[in-house]
Amino acid sequence: MNSRDSEHMIAELREKEGYETTDDFKQADLILINTCSVRERPVHKLFSELGGFNKHKKPSAKIGVCGCTASHLGEEIIKKAPYVNFVLGARNVSKITEVLHKNKAVEIDINYDESEFAFKDFRTSAYKGFINISIGCDKACTFCIVPKTRGDEISIPDSLIINEAKRIVATGAKEIFLLGQNVNNYGRRFSSNDHKKVNFSELLRRLSKIEKLERIRFTSPHPFHMDDEFIEEFASNPKICKSMHMPLQSGSTKVLKDMKRGYTKEWFLNRVAKLRSMCPEATISTDIIVGFPGESDEDFAETIDVLNQVKFEQVFSFKYSPRPETEAEHFTNVVDGEVASDRLSFLQSLNNEIIDEKNATLLGNTYRIYFEVLHSDGHAAGRSDNNILVKVKGSEELLGQMKNVKITTIGRTILTGEIVA
Ligand code: 5AD
Ligand code: SF4
């Protein structure tokens, strides 16, 4: 989502203010830092990076701090780093060309409604296009700062999304990537009642009618909203890529309750079973937090049990990090830091074993790969429909092409293959 926000800011600045991007910040007239605040580490990084930029930038260059950390720290950023020219929250991206001309502007209204703002076009990839389908988040997961930085959830009207998808496809890209904090809660609320109610499954059906659009990806769906209609649409619609992100967070129903996730371990496993039975080729990724307040050895064992049962293709795992303005910040049954670190390493090494075991079975398989990036070692890389990352020897001419590739070498994060007819 932050990447798409950055693209929106670049688009506005290029079209309305004549800016171009540069790889060398010492040449820049404007330095924007788009921040995350989901965990604590990126927040610390912000101030050290700001110092570095301030020291080495052109004297006349302006610095703007944008994104979620901007939303939640606001004015404090300018107090701590007085050379910062403006602060622009994650829900105020459309005001970028305004704050640019105001000294020390702080625009961080988390309920500012930019769900229908007509952003100018700019995309970093020629092969796929990100599309926001909603802004904000209506959930109240007790560990999560996002509702406090991105505000209430508002869906973007389907007509705008479909037009954006058509524009992307018209440039030759074959893939769209839909973005929202809870994509499968799409359609719950629009900024005006005039918009007809369309749910996420219906949105997917409408998008898949776009000719020449070949692949639709999305993130993140919420396990709570994974109803049968959604899983059936996912499984049966050939344009929907068969990789599902299912953020588990914890395998313990007790911890899930304390996190206010709205589902149980059994519901999660039931949804995985439904998905796997309807769509055996689907790969599943997840997010897991270890060391959430009150997580006992038994609770952690439940998470490990889910890992062993589901055998996710990809796991993003994090040590719990208390965040300001969240409910869990005040929970007192804190898990010892070392215990949490041990759990994280245990989980990660188990997951590596699972991945190695799964990847070994892929040797000799053939996948249709959509080539998107060049590696400096003479390889081009891309993904299969079910999100397997594969590289082959090759150069520019492969980019934007879909080719059948047979897997010849297994690696943990990327497989190597050769193009077959
Ligand atoms: N501590 C650790 N991880 C967190 N996440 C969100 N908030 C926190 C937190 N306070 C993780 C969740 C989420 C992912 C984007 O970041 O797993 O799904
Ligand atoms: Fe955060 Fe929960 Fe919303 Fe995801 S669903 S953004 S974890 S509050």
Side-chain angles (χ1 to χ4, degrees):
M1 295 205 84
N2 270 20
S3 299
R4 183 63 187 138
D5 290 344
S6 297
E7 287 182 344
H8 277 150
M9 287 190 271
I10 295 169
E12 291 293 296
L13 290 165
R14 274 166 59 116
E15 295 280 332
K16 297 181 182 164
E17 301 285 337
Y19 281 89
E20 276 304 331
T21 51
T22 170
D23 289 332
D24 177 9
F25 82 85
K26 290 180 185 149
Q27 302 290 322
D29 298 307
L30 171 64
I31 298 170
L32 296 180
I33 307 185
N34 198 4
T35 59
C36 174
S37 60
V38 160
R39 286 169 297 277
E40 200 177 5
R41 214 150 45 144
V43 180
H44 290 311
K45 212 170 132 198
L46 167 67
F47 287 100
S48 65
E49 294 224 333
L50 271 175
F53 284 134
N54 186 45
K55 206 162 154 195
H56 302 291
K57 73 180 179 68
K58 274 205 313 212
S60 61
K62 290 182 179 171
I63 300 186
V65 177
C66 314
C68 287
T69 308
S71 305
H72 104 88
L73 292 182
E75 201 99 30
E76 224 181 285
I77 295 174
I78 297 186
K79 280 198 191 124
K80 252 179 143 165
Y83 48 83
V84 167
N85 296 85
F86 59 86
V87 174
L88 185 69
R91 183 94 169 224
N92 300 258
V93 174
S94 59
K95 298 181 196 161
I96 179 71
T97 54
E98 277 172 48
V99 291
L100 183 66
H101 299 293
K102 289 188 202 156
N103 197 26
K104 310 291 171 197
V106 177
E107 291 284 348
I108 52 168
D109 177 2
I110 62 159
N111 279 316
Y112 183 67
D113 183 359
E114 50 185 18
S115 65
E116 295 185 31
F117 187 84
F119 283 102
K120 297 289 180 192
D121 270 331
F122 174 81
R123 298 185 180 279
T124 34
S125 168
Y127 313 110
K128 71 164 174 250
F130 290 113
I131 306 179
N132 288 343
I133 67 163
S134 61
I135 58 176
C137 177
D138 269 357
K139 297 273 183 288
C141 303
T142 55
F143 54 80
C144 183
I145 197 173
V146 169
K148 291 287 179 335
T149 61
R150 289 188 175 268
D152 293 344
E153 191 170 313
I154 303 181
S155 299
I156 293 170
D158 69 315
S159 54
L160 297 184
I161 297 169
I162 291 167
N163 283 341
E164 195 171 346
K166 284 181 178 163
R167 285 206 304 276
I168 292 167
V169 173
T171 65
K174 296 182 171 76
E175 182 174 310
I176 58 170
F177 205 128
L178 309 176
L179 300 171
Q181 301 297 339
N182 286 298
V183 287
N184 51 344
N185 194 32
Y186 177 80
R188 208 178 92 89
R189 187 192 306 124
F190 292 97
S191 86
S192 128
N193 287 331
D194 301 344
H195 299 297
K196 232 173 73 207
K197 283 249 170 203
V198 171
N199 70 9
F200 188 54
S201 302
E202 178 58 23
L203 177 69
L204 291 171
R205 280 191 284 275
R206 291 184 182 190
L207 284 166
S208 59
K209 291 200 182 107
I210 298 175
E211 240 183 286
K212 293 200 178 143
L213 171 61
E214 295 189 38
R215 289 185 170 188
I216 304 175
R217 296 189 192 275
F218 52 79
T219 205
S220 266
H222 194 297
F224 175 78
H225 295 291
M226 289 198 174
D227 54 22
D228 287 356
E229 183 195 5
F230 168 62
I231 296 180
E232 281 157 20
E233 183 61 35
F234 175 87
S236 63
N237 186 328
K239 290 196 179 177
I240 300 178
C241 290
K242 301 301 180 252
S243 77
M244 186 80 92
H245 189 59
M246 292 182 69
L248 169 68
Q249 312 301 0
S250 169
S252 152
T253 296
K254 179 189 144 279
V255 173
L256 288 169
K257 195 157 176 246
D258 293 342
M259 289 176 164
K260 294 208 174 141
R261 289 290 290 172
Y263 53 87
T264 59
K265 176 187 183 187
E266 288 68 33
W267 168 259
F268 188 92
L269 290 173
N270 171 288
R271 296 295 84 189
V272 171
K274 168 96 185 166
L275 178 65
R276 290 249 161 95
S277 74
M278 299 212 60
C279 190
E281 74 274 30
T283 55
I284 307 180
S285 55
T286 197
D287 291 343
I288 288 174
I289 297 176
V290 302
F292 185 76
E295 183 189 66
S296 63
D297 286 342
E298 290 73 26
D299 293 318
F300 179 63
E302 299 273 10
T303 301
I304 294 301
D305 181 45
V306 176
L307 230 70
N308 279 321
Q309 286 198 51
V310 177
K311 297 192 188 297
F312 298 99
E313 270 73 18
Q314 203 173 13
V315 175
F316 301 95
S317 50
F318 314 101
K319 193 168 143 177
Y320 169 69
S321 156
R323 307 305 297 123
E325 294 184 72
T326 59
E327 238 183 277
E329 181 198 14
H330 308 290
F331 293 178
T332 50
N333 44 357
V334 175
V335 172
D336 177 76
E338 223 167 288
V339 171
S341 298
D342 288 349
R343 286 181 187 164
L344 187 65
S345 12
F346 181 85
L347 183 145
Q348 288 176 341
S349 49
L350 170 68
N351 185 52
N352 284 341
E353 277 171 38
I354 292 174
I355 304 267
D356 289 347
E357 205 178 290
K358 287 197 110 167
N359 280 355
T361 67
L362 306 181
L363 194 68
N365 287 1
T366 297
Y367 296 98
R368 195 144 179 83
I369 302 300
Y370 183 36
F371 288 97
E372 289 176 68
V373 285
L374 283 183
H375 289 192
S376 49
D377 60 353
H379 285 83
R383 292 180 183 273
S384 66
D385 171 294
N386 61 353
N387 212 27
I388 297 170
L389 185 60
V390 178
K391 64 177 181 176
V392 303
K393 275 219 158 61
S395 52
E396 287 89 22
E397 72 279 359
L398 278 176
L399 296 180
Q401 304 283 320
M402 282 208 198
K403 301 273 182 202
N404 292 332
V405 174
K406 188 172 174 186
I407 305 304
T408 53
T409 313
I410 299 298
R412 189 172 283 160
T413 50
I414 189 161
L415 312 183
T416 309
E418 53 194 39
I419 293 172
V420 291

